[in-house]
C-alpha cells in the first residue's frame, strides 16, 4: 500500500480491537531516538546535510535486511504532502506534531510501513525517530520490532553512540537507550468514579508521565490517557518496558474494577448514559470533535461491558481518527469552517453507525 | 367498546393527527355546564339526591334520541374505578382532575362514548358537564356535537334555566351559555424564538386564558398550551366559538411563521435538535415525564416540518398520554417508585419507536 493510500484509509493496524487487554489499552508504542555520527543534530543541520541523511535512510530502508525485518516501507518528504495529509498522519499517531512545527519542511521526511505498525520520523528533534505502534498491550512485541528495525538500519547507518552514555540524542533526557515507551489507555470508569485523581497523582511518583491524549488531566477528551516513561539514561530497554508494563497492569486492574462497580451499583444510569450517547451519535446533525470523543468513550464503555453489541472496538478506534479535524477536511476536499465541519462529522458518524446490529 | 377497554387503549379519537390544522392544533374542546332544576348544586347535594341525578342521566343516555345523536355511551360511577383508572381518564383529557378531588366518590360518575369524543362528568362542580373533544381545529363541529347531545338529554332532563340569565351554574362565571371552549396548541416555534411571551401577554387582553397544559407559562412541558374563553355571560355560543376560532387562526399563523423562519435561518441547529431528541427517545434507558414531553415536542416539530418521517402525529399524541405517570403505573400493574417508572417509560417509548422508517 502506498503512503497516499495509507493516508486515505483511516484504518491503522493499531486500531485493531482484537488485541491483548484491548478493553482498556488501545495501543502500545515504542520509540527509539537515533542520530547519525558526524552529522550535527537537526537544529543545526544544513539543508544539504539533511538531504544526505534522507538519502542514507532511503538506502537503509530498501536494504534487504530491513525489508526482511519489518517489511516494505515508503519514504516521503514532508514537502510532498499537503498540510491536511500531514495532519492526518499526526491524527493516526504515525508522526508527532513537532515534525510539522518548522518552516524547513524540505529537510524533513517520514517513513511508514504498509500496515503502519512501523514509522520513522527524519530530522525531527533527532535525525531518526523509529516508532512501532501496536494494538492493545504489546510493549514487549513493539520493543522487539523496534529492535529488529534498529539493528537492520545499523547495518547501513553509522549511529552516534558512546560506550559510556549509550545512544546520543539532541535532548539529554533521551540519552542512553533513546527509548520512549507509552500506552494509550481508556479510563472512563476511573473518570466517572473519581479514581483518576489518585492515579494522576501516583503515576509521576514512579517516574512515569500521564496526560490526556487530547486535552489535559481529568478533562482528557474521550477519557483517553497516555502513560509514558520519563527517564531513559541508566536503565536498560528491558527495565523501561517492564516498568511501564507493570504500572499498566495495575491501571488495567483498577479500571476494570471501577467499571464493574459502576455496572453493579449504578447500572441503570450507566446503561442510560451509554445508550443516549449511541443515540446521539446515530442521529445528531452537528457534532463537535470534543463531544464526539466523549460520546465515543461512553459507547466504548458499553461495548466493553457487553451490553451494547453493535459497534466493534475497531470501528470505535477508527472513528476517533476519522472524526478529528484533518480527516473531515480531507473528506470535504477543502478547508471548511468549523460549523460545516461539525455537520460533516455528524454525517460521517451516522453513516458508519447505521445498519449495525443492536 | 366498554369503558374498561377504553381505559386500557391509549388511543382517543382526539389523538388522530389527520385533522384540520393539526400541525399546530392538537385538539378542540367544547364543554357545557348544565344543572337540573329542583336539585341543589353538587356542593350541597345529599348522597340520595346525587344518586337520583345519576339515575336520571343513565336513563337519558339510553334514550333513543341520545343514542341517535352521539352513539352509545357508557356510565360508570367513580367508585367503580381504581385510582389509576381515574387518573388515566384525566390524562386522556376525558374528565377533569376536579372530579377526583373529593372523598364523596359515591356521588360522582362519568359517561364516555366509545370513540371518547363525547364525555359527561356527573356531580363535579355542576350536575353535568358535557364535553366534546375533537382532533385538530374543529371548534364548530365540537359545538355542534355538544348541542346535539344537549338537546337529546333535554328531552328527558329538566335543566335549570332562566330566561334572563340563561343556564344556571354553580359558579357565576359559567352562567349564560355555560360554555367553555378551548384548544390545545403546540407552539415550539414561538417558544424557541421567544414570541411566546408576546402571545402570553396578548391573549388575556381579548378575554381568553392561556396556560401550559402541563406546567405553566413559558415553561409549559412539551410546549403544549391550552387557550380557552373566560366569559360566558352575555355572549352567544356562536360568538364564543368564533372568538376563540379567530384567535386560534392568528396563533396558527404566528407559529407557522416562527417555524419557517427557524427552518430557513437556523436549519442545521434545528435539525440537530430534532434528530438528537429522536435518538434519545429511541435509545435512552431512563426518561422522566418532563424530559419525554420536551423530546416529543422536538420530534413533533421535525415531523411537522417534514424532515423526520418515521413517527406519525397520531403516535406522538398517543405517546404524550402513554408516558404520563398513570399509564406507566397501569402498565407496571402496581404502584412503582419514580426511578423504576423512568425505566418503564423509556422501555415503552423505545418499543413504540423501533422499526419505524427513517
Amino acid at each position: 500500500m502506498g503512503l497516499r493510500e495509507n493516508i486515505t484509509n483511516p484504518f491503522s493496524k493499531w486500531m485493531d480491537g482484537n488485541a491483548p487487554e484491548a478493553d482498556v489499552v488501545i495501543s502500545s508504542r515504542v520509540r527509539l531516538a537515533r542520530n547519525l555520527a558526524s552529522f550535527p543534530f537537526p537544529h543545526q543541520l544544513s539543508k544539504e546535510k539533511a538531504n544526505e541523511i534522507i538519502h542514507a535512510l532511503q538506502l537503509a530502508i530498501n536494504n534487504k535486511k530491513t525489508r526482511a525485518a519489518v517489511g516494505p516501507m515508503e519514504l516521503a518528504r514532508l514537502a510532498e504532502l499537503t498540510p491536511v495529509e500531514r495532519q492526518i498522519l499526526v491524527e493516526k499517531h504515525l508522526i508527532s506534531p513537532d515534525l510539522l512545527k518548522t518552516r524547513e519542511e524540505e529537510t524533513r521526511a517520514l517513513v511508514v510501513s504498509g500496515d503502519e505498525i512501523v514509522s520513522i520520523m527524519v530530522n525531527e528533534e533527532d535525525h531518526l525517530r523509529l516508532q512501532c505502534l501496536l494494538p492493545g498491550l504489546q510493549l514487549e512485541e513493539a520493543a522487539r520490532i523496534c529492535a529488529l528495525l534498529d539493528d537492520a538500519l545499523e547495518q547501513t547507518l553509522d549511529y552516534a553512540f558512546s560506550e559510556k552514555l549509550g545512544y546520543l540524542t539532541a535532548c539529554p533526557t533521551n540519552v542512553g537507550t533513546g527509548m520512549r515507551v507509552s500506552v494509550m489507555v481508556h479510563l472512563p470508569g476511573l473518570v466517572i468514579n473519581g479514581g483518576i485523581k489518585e492515579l494522576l497523582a501516583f503515576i509521576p511518583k514512579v517516574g512515569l508521565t500521564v496526560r490526556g491524549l487530547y486535552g489535559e488531566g481529568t478533562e482528557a477528551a474521550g477519557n483517553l490517557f497516555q502513560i509514558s516513561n520519563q527517564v531513559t539514561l541508566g536503565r536498560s530497554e528491558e527495565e523501561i518496558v517492564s516498568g511501564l508494563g507493570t504500572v499498566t497492569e495495575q491501571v488495567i486492574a483498577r479500571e476494570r474494577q471501577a467499571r464493574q462497580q459502576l455496572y453493579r451499583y449504578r447500572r441503570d444510569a450507566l446503561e442510560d448514559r451509554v445508550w443516549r450517547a449511541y443515540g446521539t451519535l446515530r442521529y445528531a446533525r452537528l457534532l463537535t470533535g470534543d463531544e464526539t470523543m466523549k460520546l465515543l468513550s461512553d459507547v466504548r464503555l458499553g461495548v466493553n461491558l457487553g451490553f451494547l453489541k453493535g459497534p466493534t472496538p475497531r470501528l470505535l478506534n477508527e472513528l476517533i481518527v476519522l472524526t478529528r479535524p484533518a480527516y473531515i477536511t480531507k473528506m470535504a476536499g477543502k478547508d471548511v469552517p468549523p460549523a460545516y465541519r461539525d455537520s460533516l462529522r455528524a454525517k460521517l458518524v451516522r453513516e458508519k453507525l447505521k445498519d449495525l446490529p443492536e
Side-chain angles (χ1 to χ4, degrees), chain A:
Chain A
M1 195 188 283
L3 194 58
R4 278 237 145 59
E5 294 94 89
N6 274 69
I7 290 168
T8 307
N9 176 7
F11 182 69
S12 270
K13 179 69 183 162
W14 68 263
M15 298 170 194
D16 191 339
N18 190 12
E21 329 295 356
D23 59 325
V24 178
V25 184
I26 310 289
S27 62
S28 301
R29 178 165 65 180
V30 172
R31 201 185 264 176
L32 299 177
R34 295 290 182 262
N35 289 278
L36 304 193
S38 65
F39 284 87
F41 286 128
H43 63 279
Q44 293 183 313
L45 198 63
S46 69
K47 201 185 282 184
E48 291 68 34
K49 288 283 182 188
N51 256 319
E52 281 181 43
I53 291 173
I54 294 172
H55 283 297
L57 184 67
Q58 178 74 68
L59 289 174
I61 65 171
N62 288 339
N63 181 302
K64 201 183 270 178
K65 177 152 184 186
T66 314
R67 296 175 66 96
V70 297
M73 299 194 286
E74 191 175 342
L75 182 144
R77 285 165 184 274
L78 204 59
E80 298 167 30
L81 302 174
T82 67
V84 169
E85 287 171 334
R86 297 173 199 185
Q87 196 56 44
I88 286 175
L89 291 169
V90 172
E91 292 176 359
K92 290 177 96 173
H93 305 295
L94 302 182
I95 62 174
S96 72
D98 284 346
L99 189 71
L100 312 181
K101 273 185 193 161
T102 175
R103 296 194 163 188
E104 300 167 57
E105 58 178 25
E106 287 175 44
T107 67
R108 309 214 157 186
L110 54 101
V111 170
V112 179
S113 69
D115 56 9
E116 299 183 357
I117 282 178
V118 170
S119 61
I120 305 171
M121 291 191 285
V122 188
N123 296 327
E124 195 228 36
E125 186 179 290
D126 294 294
H127 295 148
L128 304 180
R129 288 243 168 131
L130 284 50
Q131 168 176 298
C132 179
L133 182 60
L134 288 173
L137 182 58
Q138 299 196 69
L139 285 170
E140 284 161 19
E141 176 65 4
R144 191 186 68 80
I145 293 172
C146 261
L148 278 179
L149 175 63
D150 190 33
D151 290 347
L153 294 178
E154 210 170 4
Q155 301 283 312
T156 313
L157 303 174
D158 183 18
Y159 284 159
F161 184 80
S162 143
E163 286 299 332
K164 189 176 159 206
L165 295 171
Y167 291 98
L168 301 179
T169 55
C171 178
T173 58
N174 291 321
V175 167
T177 61
M179 180 187 265
R180 289 268 168 165
V181 295
S182 67
V183 287
M184 192 203 304
V185 287
H186 184 228
L187 306 178
L190 291 170
V191 170
I192 293 173
N193 84 0
I196 193 69
K197 289 193 205 84
E198 203 187 321
L199 197 70
L200 290 174
F202 160 75
I203 284 179
K205 290 181 188 160
V206 293
L208 299 175
T209 302
V210 58
R211 62 176 186 82
L213 191 66
Y214 310 96
E216 289 296 324
T218 52
E219 293 302 309
N223 300 320
L224 291 172
F225 295 84
Q226 181 173 284
I227 308 175
S228 58
N229 67 317
Q230 294 239 40
V231 182
T232 61
L233 189 63
R235 297 200 183 170
S236 71
E237 283 88 347
E238 292 72 22
E239 283 167 347
I240 293 169
V241 167
S242 74
L244 180 61
T246 304
V247 169
T248 304
E249 299 279 8
Q250 291 174 32
V251 170
I252 293 169
R254 286 195 202 192
E255 171 61 22
R256 284 184 184 151
Q257 188 184 29
R259 291 181 190 176
Q260 289 305 328
Q261 283 181 348
L262 284 170
Y263 199 49
R264 190 171 306 133
Y265 301 114
R266 290 159 64 183
R267 180 165 175 164
D268 281 354
L270 189 68
E271 290 197 352
D272 186 52
R273 174 182 173 141
V274 165
W275 282 107
R276 279 172 185 252
Y278 186 63
T280 303
L281 288 171
R282 275 213 52 187
Y283 289 105
R285 259 53 184 173
L286 295 173
L287 285 171
T288 64
D290 277 357
E291 186 189 12
T292 305
M293 290 293 286
K294 186 189 150 300
L295 297 171
L296 286 173
S297 172
D298 287 344
V299 166
R300 183 191 296 272
L301 180 57
V303 168
N304 286 332
L305 285 168
F307 62 81
L308 202 165
K309 313 260 188 211
T312 60
R314 173 183 160 145
L315 176 62
L316 296 174
N317 287 339
E318 264 191 77
L319 279 172
I320 289 176
V321 170
L322 266 178
T323 57
R324 305 306 298 173
Y327 235 101
I328 302 287
T329 305
K330 179 157 179 75
M331 201 173 70
K334 56 175 192 260
D335 212 7
V336 288
Y340 184 53
R341 207 152 65 194
D342 292 348
S343 163
L344 284 175
R345 181 181 289 113
K347 184 159 185 270
L348 174 75
V349 171
R350 283 203 307 283
E351 280 167 8
K352 287 279 177 183
L353 292 182
K354 78 172 183 190
D355 303 329
L356 292 183
E358 280 170 13

